[in-house]
Amino acid sequence: MKKSGGIISLIVITILIALLGFAAAAGFGKSDLGAVKNMNLGLDLKGGVSITYQVKGEKLSREDMKDTIVRLQRRAREYNAEASVYQDGNNRICIEIPGIEDAGEAAAKVIQPGALYFIREKDSEGRENYSLNASEKYELNKTVKELQEDGSIFLTAGQIADAQAIAIELDSGDVNNTVRLFFTEEGAETLRQVTKAAYEAKETVAIYYDGELISVPSVNAEVKRGEAQIAGNLTWKQTEELAASIRGSISGLELEELSFHSFGRQIGEDAISMGLKAGAAGLAIVILFMCLVFRLQGLASGISILAYTGLTFILINTFGVVLTLPGIAGIILGMGMSADANVMVFAGIKQERAEGKPIIEALSSGFQRARPALLDRNIVIFIAAAVLWLKGGDTVKAFAQVLVISIIISLFTTLVITRRVVYALYVIGFQDKKFYGRIKVQRKSFNFLGKKRVLFGIPITLALIGFVIMGINGSHGADALNYGVEFRGGTCTAVTFDKNYSFEEIGKNIVPLIENITGDNNVHVQKTEDTKRVVFRTKLLTLDERKAFNKAMADNFQVKEDQITSENISPVTSSEIRHNVVITVLIFTACMLLYVWFRLRDIRFVICTGLTLLHNILLVLAFCAVSRISADSMFIACMLIIAGCSINAAIIIFERIREEMKARREGEKFLVLVNRCIAGTVGRNFYTSIVILITMAALYILGADSMKAISLLLMVGVICVIYSSMCITAPLWYESRVKRDIVKKREET
């Protein structure tokens, strides 16, 4: 690259980052294309309710399900035009209504059968039941209850057998879209009598459905065939929906609630604000850290990470990925992984310089040398994200989608943006060694293998302590781990109070009130220190009990509706979630072990990688047992990410051992070689872990309360990965190799 090319590259990349920043902040065109404000937010960020129902019955026709969905959708869209109702599997229906305040009221009204009434024009005393208003539209003069009491309603949905949408071609050539109703024998007889009287009196009848008069036809003859038509200025789509809604009302399908999730709007707005602050703080600290450690290369990585951030927001927006609270955590985690990818490259460059190569050659070889490690890291995380995407719930899927986008962009920005900027800075004049950090004189490697008993003993002791804590928890009637409502079933309600209550105050003033409302004398309380957010886990609550719970919080503690988030999981759903978790873990484990075998082609490497993975998982579980972090679906997602990082770290050390074995010095002891390999990867593993820890620490300190558990879990997992990469992985392999050599010598003698 020439100097002019370097200048052009820096100008183009600067313009690109500026455009990405502008797009994210304001967007392009009248529609603000690419703007963050136009992102497709999940219900946990914009507030709303999500309910899953199971339709009871052994023989459910496709038409019955479709009609029920149309009816529910019609009701749901009365609350919000963006509401969605869709079928999940063979017999389940999901309803999502964003931006509503009273989730309980909406849930109750949406599933009510459609109210279909046929109304006489006048009551028994000759008073009109409906009339034209100033807008020339018919409206009721009485309430439905009054109409029922005075006998003005003569037919309901119960007397209708079927409803069909038809298009009738008129003599004029126009098409009249009509809903044809077919009545039962009882309904047909009633309709005949009423229409006969209306025809003689020259009156109309009104058809009332779901809160409005949809048709007021004149009666031109006595209806004898048990059929009627609803006509008007209806489009074909409206006609089909009306017919389906009526069929759904008369189908009699019973809906059983499987899960209920309500999200407070204010909580979501606060979470977005806090997530942006955490992301900005993490970004600034990571860039500063990279500049301090890697000098000019750190500046290049800062430019690359800025490009990563902008591209991530643009692609999430472009592909319509639903951004959820865990998704924000995924973006921030991806930010750390982007910095981590740059560290891998810079560590390779430093190693090349330590071998005496000039800076320009070290840059080229460093990128080339880091490529396999980058691919390994991205492939194992991609496998974890793909498994979560395929088998996880909606929240986990959203997290996995963001993570997939993040790792693809981080790979691109590292191998393209960082590389281009580093070369450009070099050719425009930054060629002095001082800009690329000093090379430390290689010292005698620490004898990791000589301390293996101590290094093995520490995690074994910690794991045993965790198992003891699990046993103590079990003996006191609690679960070994703090299983979330997704695994146990029940209701989990998160309340954000206006003050930070202590556990003593919660137990004395709040828990007895909840016990009285719910009738549950085993209310579990979870709270993070120094926060106003408290999570209450109870038995499965009915809709009325949930309403009473929210009212009690409002009356006694002035908590607004949008400060309460509720999650209801039935035993059926929790059982399915547990089953899916087992399948997810098995698929992930099989994929990981197959990949390790494909990369290393040595059964001892595979076994040692598996043992390292088990070590890290056990330590994280021990921490969870002590800290009582809630074990839910996001807990499983975090564990898989930690497992992916563990496997990547193991591959790095084993690749280094294989390289050193090929160039092994004559007479060099095997112990010295393995110690040198460990020491050679410690710096890289340490720095890669630090940048992820920085971003997760920022999320823990500045992010939403509900994200603290995820960030803390990932931080603990990363620390375990650092330790295992230095003290567990290679020593395990060394022990297996030494024992193999001993057995081989015995067989030879």
Side-chain angles (χ1 to χ4, degrees):
M1 184 187 292
K2 296 181 179 180
K3 185 175 182 178
S4 58
I7 294 173
I8 292 172
S9 294
L10 290 177
I11 292 173
V12 170
I13 291 172
T14 301
I15 293 174
L16 171 65
I17 293 175
L19 289 174
L20 289 173
F22 178 81
F28 293 105
K30 295 181 179 180
S31 61
D32 296 332
L33 182 65
V36 172
K37 64 183 179 182
N38 292 335
M39 277 190 171
N40 186 13
L41 300 181
L43 290 178
D44 57 346
L45 293 180
K46 62 184 176 182
V49 61
S50 172
I51 318 167
T52 299
Y53 293 103
Q54 178 170 288
V55 182
K56 289 188 175 181
E58 296 181 0
K59 295 182 180 180
L60 300 173
S61 68
R62 183 179 298 179
E63 188 179 58
D64 283 343
M65 291 293 291
K66 182 181 177 181
D67 293 344
T68 302
I69 289 171
V70 170
R71 174 174 65 85
L72 295 176
Q73 195 165 51
R74 184 185 178 99
R75 284 292 184 85
R77 287 180 177 173
E78 291 177 6
Y79 290 92
N80 191 307
E82 297 180 2
S84 63
V85 181
Y86 55 92
Q87 185 171 344
D88 180 21
N90 294 325
N91 63 342
R92 293 186 180 179
I93 297 175
C94 299
I95 303 174
E96 294 181 355
I97 311 175
I100 60 173
E101 297 294 334
D102 193 340
E105 179 187 356
K109 288 188 176 180
V110 164
I111 63 171
Q112 287 179 355
L116 178 65
Y117 303 123
F118 283 70
I119 305 171
R120 292 182 174 88
E121 181 179 331
K122 297 179 181 179
D123 61 18
S124 58
E125 297 181 4
R127 293 174 297 188
E128 290 188 341
N129 291 319
Y130 49 85
S131 59
L132 288 169
N133 58 21
S135 302
E136 295 296 315
K137 291 184 178 181
Y138 280 99
E139 63 180 9
L140 291 179
N141 298 330
K142 305 175 184 178
T143 65
V144 171
K145 185 178 180 181
E146 289 173 337
L147 293 171
Q148 289 172 328
E149 290 175 349
D150 65 21
S152 294
I153 295 176
F154 62 93
L155 283 175
T156 64
Q159 283 85 45
I160 298 176
D162 195 10
Q164 298 292 334
I166 59 173
I168 300 175
E169 187 173 350
L170 304 178
D171 294 337
S172 61
D174 294 334
V175 175
N176 187 13
N177 297 316
T178 303
V179 177
R180 177 173 290 174
L181 302 178
F182 300 88
F183 293 86
T184 62
E185 289 185 11
E186 177 190 354
E189 177 59 25
T190 302
L191 181 65
R192 186 191 67 76
Q193 294 176 6
V194 173
T195 53
K196 179 181 179 181
Y199 172 66
E200 292 173 352
K202 297 183 180 181
E203 293 179 350
T204 60
V205 295
I207 303 173
Y208 179 90
Y209 183 74
D210 259 4
E212 61 178 327
L213 291 170
I214 57 175
S215 182
V216 183
S218 299
V219 180
N220 299 319
E222 176 186 344
V223 178
K224 299 179 180 180
R225 294 187 302 169
E227 296 180 12
Q229 294 180 355
I230 301 175
N233 296 320
L234 299 174
T235 65
W236 178 247
K237 183 179 179 181
Q238 290 172 329
T239 305
E240 283 190 315
E241 288 185 353
L242 179 57
S245 296
I246 294 172
R247 287 196 302 268
S249 299
I250 64 179
S251 64
L253 293 182
E254 187 178 352
L255 302 178
E256 178 186 7
E257 183 184 291
L258 293 182
S259 66
F260 175 94
H261 305 265
S262 70
F263 306 95
R265 179 182 54 80
Q266 187 60 47
I267 294 176
E269 291 176 357
D270 293 344
I272 294 173
S273 175
M274 296 168 79
L276 290 174
K277 291 177 182 177
L283 177 65
I285 297 171
V286 165
I287 293 176
L288 179 61
F289 173 80
M290 296 291 284
C291 290
L292 290 174
V293 174
F294 297 105
R295 310 287 176 85
L296 194 66
Q297 299 165 94
L299 175 62
S301 75
I303 295 172
S304 175
I305 296 170
L306 287 173
Y308 155 83
T309 306
L311 284 171
T312 300
F313 281 119
I314 292 296
L315 287 186
I316 289 175
N317 214 340
T318 301
F319 290 116
V321 175
V322 178
L323 183 63
T324 62
L325 199 51
I328 293 177
I331 293 174
I332 297 174
L333 175 61
M335 195 184 299
M337 292 172 66
S338 178
D340 164 59
N342 283 275
V343 169
M344 289 184 181
V345 172
F346 301 153
I349 293 172
K350 184 174 286 188
Q351 188 174 340
E352 294 293 324
R353 290 183 59 208
E355 294 174 1
K357 291 184 179 180
I359 289 177
I360 189 63
E361 290 185 22
L363 293 178
S364 178
S365 300
F367 276 96
Q368 190 69 27
R369 193 168 191 166
R371 191 169 295 161
L374 281 173
L375 290 175
D376 284 331
R377 195 284 305 270
N378 283 278
I379 287 172
V380 295
I381 300 298
F382 182 85
I383 291 173
V387 172
L388 291 171
W389 192 339
L390 292 173
K391 299 299 294 182
D394 291 341
T395 301
V396 173
K397 282 181 181 178
F399 172 75
Q401 289 169 350
V402 171
L403 199 58
V404 167
I405 291 174
S406 297
I407 60 178
I408 293 173
I409 295 175
S410 69
L411 184 64
F412 167 78
T413 54
T414 301
L415 295 180
V416 178
I417 304 293
T418 302
R419 184 188 182 97
R420 203 74 185 172
V421 173
V422 167
Y423 276 102
L425 291 174
Y426 180 84
V427 298
I428 66 173
F430 293 94
Q431 299 178 2
D432 196 294
K433 293 181 180 180
K434 67 181 180 182
F435 294 119
Y436 299 88
R438 63 189 182 90
I439 302 298
K440 295 182 180 180
V441 178
Q442 189 171 4
R443 300 177 182 176
K444 184 179 179 180
S445 301
F446 177 78
N447 188 7
F448 290 95
L449 300 181
K451 307 292 184 183
K452 60 181 178 295
R453 290 187 179 180
V454 176
L455 299 178
F456 287 174
I458 292 173
I460 289 174
T461 302
L462 292 175
L464 287 174
I465 291 174
F467 281 116
V468 170
I469 296 296
M470 291 181 192
I472 293 173
N473 290 337
S475 65
H476 286 79
D479 293 320
L481 296 174
N482 182 24
Y483 297 113
V485 68
E486 289 174 310
F487 295 150
R488 291 174 51 119
T491 300
C492 182
T493 309
V495 183
T496 302
F497 294 96
D498 59 358
K499 61 174 287 188
N500 183 11
Y501 288 102
S502 66
F503 274 101
E504 183 179 352
E505 290 173 317
I506 294 170
K508 182 180 179 181
N509 301 321
I510 304 177
V511 171
L513 182 64
I514 296 174
E515 290 176 343
N516 184 52
I517 294 170
T518 63
D520 185 355
N521 295 322
N522 190 28
V523 177
H524 294 263
V525 178
Q526 184 177 340
K527 180 179 182 292
T528 305
E529 292 294 334
D530 301 322
T531 66
K532 299 177 182 178
R533 183 175 183 267
V534 184
V535 178
F536 301 98
R537 197 175 69 210
T538 62
K539 68 178 181 66
L540 192 65
L541 302 183
T542 64
L543 179 59
D544 290 338
E545 288 172 331
R546 292 197 297 265
K547 285 184 176 181
F549 184 108
N550 292 356
K551 187 175 185 302
M553 294 298 106
D555 294 343
N556 294 277
F557 305 100
Q558 291 71 54
V559 178
K560 296 180 180 179
E561 187 82 24
D562 60 6
Q563 294 286 354
I564 301 176
T565 297
S566 181
E567 182 178 17
N568 236 38
I569 301 292
S570 73
V572 173
T573 304
S574 64
S575 176
E576 291 176 353
I577 291 174
R578 291 194 299 270
H579 178 264
N580 280 337
V581 165
V582 173
I583 299 298
T584 300
V585 171
L586 289 176
I587 293 174
F588 172 80
T589 304
C591 291
M592 287 293 104
L593 293 179
L594 285 173
Y595 182 72
V596 175
W597 169 255
F598 172 78
R599 282 287 286 113
L600 302 175
R601 300 300 175 91
D602 189 319
I603 190 62
R604 287 188 302 277
F605 284 146
V606 176
I607 293 173
C608 292
T609 301
L611 291 174
T612 302
L613 174 59
L614 181 63
H615 159 273
N616 292 336
I617 295 299
L618 288 177
L619 286 184
V620 174
L621 287 176
F623 173 78
C624 292
V626 174
S627 63
R628 302 301 287 170
I629 286 179
S630 179
D632 51 19
S633 57
M634 279 309 300
F635 166 84
I636 300 299
C638 290
M639 295 296 277
L640 294 193
I641 299 302
I642 293 167
C645 293
S646 302
I647 290 170
N648 180 57
I651 291 176
I652 289 174
I653 185 67
F654 288 146
E655 279 286 356
R656 184 65 175 267
I657 290 174
R658 288 206 310 182
E659 290 176 7
E660 292 292 335
M661 286 179 66
K662 292 176 183 178
R664 185 180 179 185
R665 304 161 193 164
E666 188 176 350
E668 183 181 30
K669 292 183 178 180
F670 203 59
L671 181 144
V672 175
L673 182 145
V674 176
N675 274 327
R676 189 172 72 250
C677 291
I678 297 173
T681 58
V682 163
R684 177 165 66 174
N685 287 339
F686 177 76
Y687 286 132
T688 56
S689 300
I690 284 294
V691 292
I692 294 178
L693 283 174
I694 289 172
T695 54
M696 289 298 97
L699 182 61
Y700 181 82
I701 296 170
L702 299 175
D705 293 340
S706 56
M707 288 291 98
K708 292 188 183 298
I710 293 177
S711 53
L712 182 60
L713 195 62
L714 288 172
M715 283 193 286
V716 172
V718 168
I719 292 171
C720 291
V721 171
I722 296 174
Y723 184 87
S724 65
S725 67
M726 294 187 300
C727 308
I728 303 297
T729 310
L732 277 175
W733 181 82
Y734 173 79
E735 285 296 309
S736 68
R737 177 63 183 256
V738 169
K739 288 181 179 179
R740 189 203 70 168
D741 291 344
I742 292 173
V743 172
K744 189 175 181 180
K745 286 181 180 179
R746 286 177 180 174
E747 290 176 350
E748 290 176 352
T749 56

